[in-house]
């Protein structure tokens, strides 16, 4: 993934000495390095956004964040820090991308993992303000709790069952960012909810069958977590940037029904709903707006002109399985057979690949999807591969350094190391290699003999890359000497981040991304 983005500027320097600065038309606190400790570290709960004024994602978040701050005003404060004005403060809190949102409790911080729309922010922070488990001792409290959110989880446990209570506390603390948890020990209340066996878990929701029950299992069993996650997702919801993370966290493959209009969506809903029901807990199926997210179609092996269409993506290893019926029409039986085959592993993933180059004798070897295993996973030699995008500013600045490394390795001779590059926008990496690119450029050192993959996370200067190669080389007699002449200038990271962000924004200008 390309670097995240942040919000609009902080307050002017002349107001920096004021302990809290609140713009007259804003309910979001503006914080600086001078007032941060006083305003944040003693608060029971606060959400803080670290942003940069130039960041596109920050600008998009700004109005939603403001609305959330207004709704939560007087209960849970929301604040922001301009990292271009408070660099040391942002470094102290390990801010690496924009926007970064962190939840603070008495000075201790954790990552915000909720949606970035007003309702999602409000819901997430209200959950944070509750105890991990709410004790429900009366019928009216239970009735209110059941409808307090889109999904709530209630455990029915006998009052003397300490082991189950402790296990439920563990479950609730683990998933509190996503769901609200309640506990009922009153057996009469349980009977009123038609709970006849203890311990029991009931998931109340405002969609599909409205309720899911599980009982008779030990709460410490991992099935409880799987039960909550699988039943908290609608059978055939519309996926977008706000709820995509929920599907990613489920750990299940995701089947997309791409449609461009309501008529096609209704048709696909009718034929896919039986499949979604049959394979619930093994795969999630969703509708996706083919016009808004057309760019995502290529990520799963489809083209825009294929719509309406269906494809499956294994989110863990990015394997993709497009279903392209020969007659152009999808049926329930065809979808059922396809889903069953993907789950069983009898259907191979589709691999995008550029054409194999006719000549590949350059200092930097060109890798395409079809030859990734042959070149990069060759156990006879080390391979240092760059996964890049043609539009990426980082990649353009790295190119002369990467070429210089390739030339130096070629001059040295021998077959113990290969410097390589792969265009990540045209080529898929075979999922079985477990090599993933989460941004551009991604640099991976694949060791000879073992195929151990070592991530390069250092500075992209020539000197640091040479040091890394000498440290990682399987052949301990292999050493590159530093060549100081014509060494490319080390990248200017802040400017380059902006350039790369702008390039990505230009590339995705016509389509939203999940």
């Amino acid at each position: 993934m390309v670097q995240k983005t942040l919000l609009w500027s902080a307050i002017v320097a002349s107001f920096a000495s004021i302990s809290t600065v609140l713009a007259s038309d804003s309910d979001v606190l503006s914080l600086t390095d001078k007032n941060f400790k006083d305003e944040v570290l003693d608060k029971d709960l606060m959400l803080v956004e670290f942003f940069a004024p130039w960041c596109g994602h920050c600008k998009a978040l700004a109005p939603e964040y403001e609305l959330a701050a207004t709704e939560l005003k007087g209960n849970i404060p929301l604040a922001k820090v301009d990292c271009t004005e408070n660099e040391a403060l942002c470094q102290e809190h390990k801010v690496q991308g924009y926007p970064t949102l962190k939840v603070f409790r008495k000075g201790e911080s954790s990552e915000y993992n909720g949606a970035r729309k007003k309702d999602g922010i409000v819901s997430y922070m209200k959950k944070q303000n509750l105890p991990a488990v709410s004790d429900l001792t009366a019928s009216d409290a239970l009735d209110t709790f059941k409808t307090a959110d889109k999904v709530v989880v209630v455990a029915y446990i006998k009052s003397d069952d300490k082991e189950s209570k402790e296990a439920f506390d563990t479950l609730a603390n683990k998933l509190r960012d996503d769901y609200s948890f309640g506990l009922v020990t009153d057996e009469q209340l349980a009977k009123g909810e038609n709970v006849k066996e203890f311990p029991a878990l009931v998931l109340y929701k405002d969609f599909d069958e409205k309720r899911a029950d599980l009982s008779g299992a030990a709460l410490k069993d991992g099935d409880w977590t799987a039960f909550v996650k699988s039943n908290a997702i609608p059978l055939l919801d519309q996926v977008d940037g706000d709820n995509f993370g929920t599907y990613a966290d489920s750990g299940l493959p995701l089947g997309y029904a791409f449609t461009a209009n309501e008529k096609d969506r209704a048709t696909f809903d009718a034929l896919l709903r039986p499949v979604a029901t049959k394979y619930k807990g093994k795969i999630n199926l969703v509708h996706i707006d083919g016009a808004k997210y057309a760019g995502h179609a290529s990520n799963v092996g489809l083209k825009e002109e294929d719509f309406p269409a269906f494809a499956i993506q294994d989110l863990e290893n990015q394997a993709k399985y497009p279903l392209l019926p020969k007659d152009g029409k999808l049926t329930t039986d065809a979808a059922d057979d396809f889903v069953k085959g993907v789950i069983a592993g009898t259907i191979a993933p589709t691999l995008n690949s550029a054409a194999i180059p006719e000549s590949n004798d350059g200092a930097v070897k060109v890798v395409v999807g079809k030859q990734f295993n042959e070149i990069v996973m060759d156990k006879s030699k080390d391979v240092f591969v760059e996964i890049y995008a043609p539009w990426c500013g980082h990649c353009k600045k790295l190119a002369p350094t990467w070429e210089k490394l390739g030339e130096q390795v070629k001059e040295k001779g021998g077959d113990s190391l290969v410097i390589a590059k792969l265009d990540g926008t045209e080529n898929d990496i075979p999922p079985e290699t477990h090599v993933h690119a989460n941004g551009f450029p991604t640099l991976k050192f694949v060791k000879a003999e073992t195929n151990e993959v070592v991530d390069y996370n250092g500075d992209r200067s020539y000197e640091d890359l040479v040091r890394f190669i000498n440290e990682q080389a399987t052949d301990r007699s292999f050493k590159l000497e530093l060549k100081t002449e014509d060494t490319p200038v080390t990248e200017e990271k802040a400017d380059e981040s902006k350039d790369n962000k702008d390039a990505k924004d230009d590339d995705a200008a016509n389509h939203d991304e999940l």
Side-chain angles (χ1 to χ4, degrees):
M1 293 171 57
V2 232
Q3 194 177 25
K4 297 177 182 177
T5 38
L6 299 139
L7 222 74
W8 53 287
S9 340
I11 56 174
V12 293
S14 60
F15 287 87
S17 61
I18 303 175
S19 64
T20 303
V21 180
L22 180 60
S24 60
D25 58 346
S26 174
D27 289 319
V28 178
L29 295 171
S30 290
L31 301 176
T32 70
D33 54 1
K34 295 182 179 179
N35 65 17
F36 189 88
K37 289 183 179 179
D38 291 338
E39 295 301 327
V40 178
L41 302 190
D42 65 340
K43 294 292 189 299
D44 292 330
L45 181 65
M46 177 182 278
L47 179 62
V48 179
E49 176 203 8
F50 298 87
F51 73 96
W54 49 257
C55 158
H57 289 286
C58 303
K59 293 174 184 176
L61 173 62
E64 300 292 335
Y65 198 69
E66 187 68 49
L67 290 169
T70 299
E71 183 162 336
L72 293 170
K73 185 177 180 180
N75 187 18
I76 304 170
L78 269 60
K80 62 186 178 184
V81 176
D82 182 346
C83 289
T84 66
E85 297 286 342
N86 303 276
E87 293 183 14
L89 180 61
C90 294
Q91 289 176 4
E92 178 185 346
H93 291 281
K94 299 179 180 179
V95 176
Q96 297 179 332
Y98 304 119
T100 290
L101 288 89
K102 291 180 179 284
V103 177
F104 284 82
R105 297 175 185 275
K106 294 292 187 182
E108 296 295 325
S109 68
S110 60
E111 295 296 325
Y112 171 88
N113 295 312
R116 297 190 179 185
K117 296 291 186 181
K118 187 265 287 184
D119 289 345
I121 296 170
V122 170
S123 175
Y124 185 93
M125 293 309 296
K126 282 184 176 179
K127 290 188 184 75
Q128 294 293 316
N129 206 29
L130 293 172
V133 177
S134 298
D135 287 321
L136 307 172
T137 58
S139 59
D140 55 347
L142 175 59
D143 290 340
T144 299
F145 188 83
K146 284 161 50 179
T147 57
D149 209 342
K150 188 175 182 179
V151 174
V152 300
V153 184
V154 178
Y156 294 86
I157 301 173
K158 290 185 177 181
S159 57
D160 59 352
D161 188 352
K162 293 183 179 179
E163 183 179 356
S164 292
K165 285 182 182 178
E166 289 175 359
F168 185 63
D169 280 341
T170 300
L171 176 71
N173 278 293
K174 178 182 177 183
L175 300 178
R176 66 174 297 160
D177 287 355
D178 302 310
Y179 314 107
S180 297
F181 291 84
L183 173 65
V184 172
T185 57
D186 186 321
E187 294 188 34
Q188 291 302 313
L189 275 182
K191 287 181 180 179
E193 290 296 310
N194 202 31
V195 173
K196 301 176 181 177
E197 188 175 3
F198 296 88
L201 198 67
V202 179
L203 188 144
Y204 298 94
K205 48 189 175 179
D206 66 0
F207 53 85
D208 293 342
E209 71 278 27
K210 306 297 183 183
R211 168 176 172 161
D213 292 65
L214 183 67
S215 61
L219 281 176
K220 62 185 178 182
D221 189 77
D223 286 348
W224 286 89
T225 300
F227 167 79
V228 171
K229 287 192 172 185
S230 62
N231 284 282
I233 297 176
L235 274 181
L236 267 170
D237 201 7
Q238 185 87 7
V239 70
D240 56 26
D242 285 337
N243 62 4
F244 180 77
T246 302
Y247 292 99
D249 291 343
S250 74
L252 299 177
L254 188 56
Y256 302 91
F258 282 87
T259 55
N261 56 63
E262 289 298 323
K263 180 180 178 182
D264 287 339
R265 179 180 175 181
T267 300
F268 266 47
D269 194 278
L271 67 89
L272 287 175
R273 194 160 286 274
V275 182
T277 302
K278 181 176 179 179
Y279 295 101
K280 183 177 179 179
K282 296 180 179 180
I283 187 173
N284 292 317
L285 302 189
V286 295
H287 292 288
I288 183 168
D289 187 332
K292 187 175 183 180
Y293 296 106
H296 189 62
S298 62
N299 293 338
V300 292
L302 296 171
K303 299 177 181 177
E304 288 189 51
E305 55 266 29
D306 291 333
F307 299 162
F310 181 71
I312 296 173
Q313 183 180 29
D314 186 327
L315 297 172
E316 184 174 350
N317 59 30
Q318 296 302 302
K320 56 194 177 189
Y321 306 83
L323 174 58
L324 302 173
K326 293 180 180 179
D327 59 1
K329 294 183 179 180
L330 182 65
T331 65
T332 297
D333 288 342
D336 189 301
D337 290 342
F338 184 69
V339 169
K340 180 169 61 177
V342 170
I343 292 173
T346 58
I347 294 178
T350 295
L351 197 69
N352 280 351
S353 177
I356 296 174
E358 294 182 8
S359 175
N360 203 2
D361 299 323
V364 176
K365 188 170 286 292
V366 176
V367 181
V368 297
K370 293 176 182 177
Q371 288 189 309
F372 191 91
N373 283 330
E374 178 184 341
I375 297 175
V376 179
M377 309 307 290
D378 181 355
K379 289 188 174 182
S380 69
K381 60 195 69 178
D382 293 331
V383 180
F384 199 12
V385 59
E386 174 202 8
I387 303 165
Y388 72 95
W391 46 257
C392 162
H394 287 284
C395 307
K396 291 175 183 177
K397 290 187 178 182
L398 176 62
T401 301
W402 205 246
E403 190 69 25
K404 180 175 181 177
L405 286 174
E407 290 171 355
Q408 191 174 353
V409 170
K410 189 173 183 180
E411 288 172 7
K412 189 173 180 64
D415 296 322
S416 65
L417 174 66
V418 171
I419 303 296
K421 64 180 180 181
L422 174 139
D423 183 344
T425 66
E426 286 194 348
N427 299 278
D428 291 332
I429 299 171
E432 68 271 13
T433 66
H434 302 294
V435 175
H436 304 298
N438 294 322
F440 298 121
T442 289
L443 307 181
K444 302 279 187 178
F445 193 95
V446 183
K447 292 196 171 188
E449 301 175 8
T450 64
N451 275 167
E452 177 190 356
V453 180
V454 181
D455 294 333
Y456 180 79
N457 295 313
D459 188 87
R460 299 189 193 107
S461 67
Y462 165 74
E463 292 82 3
D464 281 0
L465 287 164
V466 168
R467 279 192 285 268
F468 177 78
I469 288 171
N470 290 339
E471 289 170 0
Q472 297 297 331
T474 302
D475 180 358
R476 301 314 301 161
S477 66
F478 182 91
K479 293 291 179 184
L480 286 181
E481 300 297 328
L482 283 173
K483 292 185 176 183
T484 57
E485 72 277 10
D486 299 321
T487 301
V489 178
T490 303
E491 62 180 336
E492 298 177 14
K493 292 184 177 178
D495 289 342
E496 188 166 279
S497 295
K498 184 177 185 301
D499 290 345
N500 201 15
K501 187 276 304 181
D502 291 341
K504 180 60 178 174
D505 285 351
D506 290 343
D507 185 66
N510 296 322
H511 300 292
D512 288 345
E513 294 183 357
L514 288 175

